[in-house]
């Protein structure tokens, strides 16, 4: 009787485990408003369910750090990271994460510095001004802009009157537009989207950074290689000539997805260590 009970218990555990594996838990760094992230993901989630033959669930996180911890601690399976959060996840997991794909645009991604103050025309003009980054863990909203500011001889911590962190790219635009700060910086993709929507008002770009590697979709290294390949293939198969593919690519602000690798983010890691943001 005891043997049979043990067998049933084991069978139930295995069944529960198998059921759990039929759900792909997906998340993304909260670099935009939660409602916008959900809107962007919905058609992609449906597409992945079709391609993978399993349920795909989007699990929003409260901040950038939570996206890193979620993947490292096996609470998430697939995460949309910025270059810096990927580097943080790589460090936290001792290299046990794998970047699968990135948008073609992410090979030479850029940040834009914005202001409504006509006296601000170059990075050096920010000295003595109030300024907003995005999230502290943002590649395009903090790390790389800080890197380029330092390169221009502007130390944000010593030369600016006050530095704020808005938490997200769209929030940075709102902070500058609302007069809370004199200037700010965000990723070029969100800026162009907000500009097209008429939400940038009289703000203008006064400096655009050089290109650098940024966003990617990352999984843990212990994911089943067959599933990993299916996920990669699904992204790589997205085609703008197909109505479904076009909708997804437009929402992701992508021309197409291409393979990526960890080595692409070595310069991000170097910049993070140089800025003292990665120990």
């Amino acid at each position: 009787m005891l043997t049979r009970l043990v067998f049933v218990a084991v069978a139930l555990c295995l069944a529960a485990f198998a059921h759990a594996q039929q759900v792909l838990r997906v998340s993304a760094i909260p670099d935009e408003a939660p409602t916008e992230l959900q809107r962007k993901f919905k058609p992609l989630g449906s597409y992945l369910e079709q391609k993978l033959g399993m349920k795909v669930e989007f699990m929003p996180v409260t901040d950038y750090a939570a996206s890193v911890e979620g993947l490292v601690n096996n609470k998430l399976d697939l995460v949309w990271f910025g270059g810096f959060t990927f580097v943080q996840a790589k460090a936290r997991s001792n290299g046990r994460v794998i970047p699968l794909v990135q948008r073609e645009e992410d090979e030479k991604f850029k940040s834009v510095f914005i202001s409504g103050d006509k006296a601000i025309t170059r990075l050096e003009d920010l000295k003595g001004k109030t300024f907003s980054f995005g999230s502290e863990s943002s590649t395009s909203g903090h790390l790389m802009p800080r890197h380029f500011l330092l390169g221009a001889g502007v130390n944000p911590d010593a030369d600016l009157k006050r530095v704020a962190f808005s938490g997200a790219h769209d929030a940075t635009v709102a902070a500058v537009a609302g007069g809370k700060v004199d200037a700010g910086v965000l990723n070029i993709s969100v800026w162009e989207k907000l500009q097209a929507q008429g939400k940038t008002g009289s703000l203008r770009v006064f400096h655009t950074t050089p290109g650098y590697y940024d966003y990617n979709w990352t999984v843990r290294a212990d994911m089943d290689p067959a599933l990993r390949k299916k996920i990669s293939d699904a992204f790589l198969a997205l085609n703008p000539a197909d109505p479904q593919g076009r909708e997804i690519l437009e929402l992701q602000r992508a021309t197409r997805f291409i393979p990526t690798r960890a080595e692409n983010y070595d310069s991000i890691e170097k910049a993070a260590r140089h800025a003292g943001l990665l120990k």
Side-chain angles (χ1 to χ4, degrees), residues 11-277:
L12 288 172
C13 287
L14 289 174
F17 177 77
H19 176 72
Q21 294 306 296
Q22 296 308 304
V23 178
L24 185 74
R25 301 162 299 176
V26 184
S27 195
I29 55 171
D31 60 348
E32 293 186 82
T35 51
E36 178 63 6
L37 292 178
Q38 291 278 7
R39 184 181 76 88
K40 285 167 56 177
F41 181 77
K42 190 173 181 180
L44 175 59
S46 298
Y47 170 78
L48 289 175
E49 286 187 343
Q50 294 168 17
K51 290 291 185 179
L52 305 179
M54 62 192 299
K55 182 176 174 57
V56 174
E57 182 179 350
F58 185 76
M59 305 178 69
V61 292
T62 54
D63 54 33
Y64 281 53
S67 69
V68 172
E69 294 304 313
L71 188 68
V72 172
N73 294 318
N74 198 25
K75 294 179 180 178
L76 298 169
D77 305 306
L78 173 67
V79 180
W80 173 246
F81 278 143
F84 186 27
T85 32
F86 165 72
V87 166
Q88 290 176 315
K90 178 185 170 190
R92 281 280 292 111
S93 66
N94 294 315
R96 299 294 293 166
V97 293
I98 299 174
L100 296 182
V101 295
Q102 64 183 58
R103 300 172 302 187
E104 190 170 42
E105 289 77 0
D106 292 314
E107 285 186 302
K108 292 183 179 179
F109 204 74
K110 298 176 181 179
S111 297
V112 291
F113 287 77
I114 62 169
S115 180
D117 184 343
K118 293 180 180 178
I120 299 175
T121 61
R122 56 187 189 138
L123 295 181
E124 291 83 351
D125 294 335
L126 291 172
K127 291 183 178 181
K129 302 292 186 179
T130 56
F131 185 82
S132 180
F133 289 111
S135 166
E136 291 189 63
S137 293
S138 172
T139 311
S140 52
H142 180 215
L143 170 60
M144 296 311 288
R146 177 179 285 271
H147 172 72
F148 292 120
L149 279 168
L150 291 171
V154 181
N155 183 336
D157 301 321
D159 297 330
L160 302 186
K161 183 178 181 181
R162 176 172 56 84
V163 173
F165 289 91
S166 71
H169 300 295
D170 47 5
T172 296
V173 172
V176 181
K180 293 182 179 178
V181 289
D182 299 316
V185 66
L186 69 152
N187 87 41
I188 192 169
S189 181
V190 173
W191 168 259
E192 290 176 344
K193 182 190 73 171
L194 294 176
Q195 196 172 40
Q197 294 173 347
K199 296 181 178 179
T200 56
S202 61
L203 301 183
R204 73 188 198 293
V205 172
F206 67 89
H207 181 81
T208 302
T209 70
Y212 51 87
Y213 277 96
D214 202 350
Y215 297 87
N216 66 58
W217 283 101
T218 293
V219 299
R220 292 188 315 280
D222 62 2
M223 176 180 278
D224 177 7
L227 177 57
R228 195 165 70 215
K229 185 176 186 306
K230 280 186 176 182
I231 294 171
S232 291
D233 288 348
F235 277 102
L236 299 178
L238 286 167
N239 188 336
D242 167 67
Q244 184 184 32
R246 183 170 62 253
E247 180 189 17
I248 292 169
L249 289 170
E250 286 179 354
L251 283 171
Q252 299 296 315
R253 298 192 290 278
T255 304
R256 64 182 178 125
F257 281 91
I258 59 176
T260 192
R261 56 198 181 103
E263 291 78 8
N264 288 342
Y265 301 91
D266 286 350
S267 61
I268 297 289
E269 183 172 349
K270 184 177 179 180
R273 293 190 186 283
H274 179 257
L277 300 176

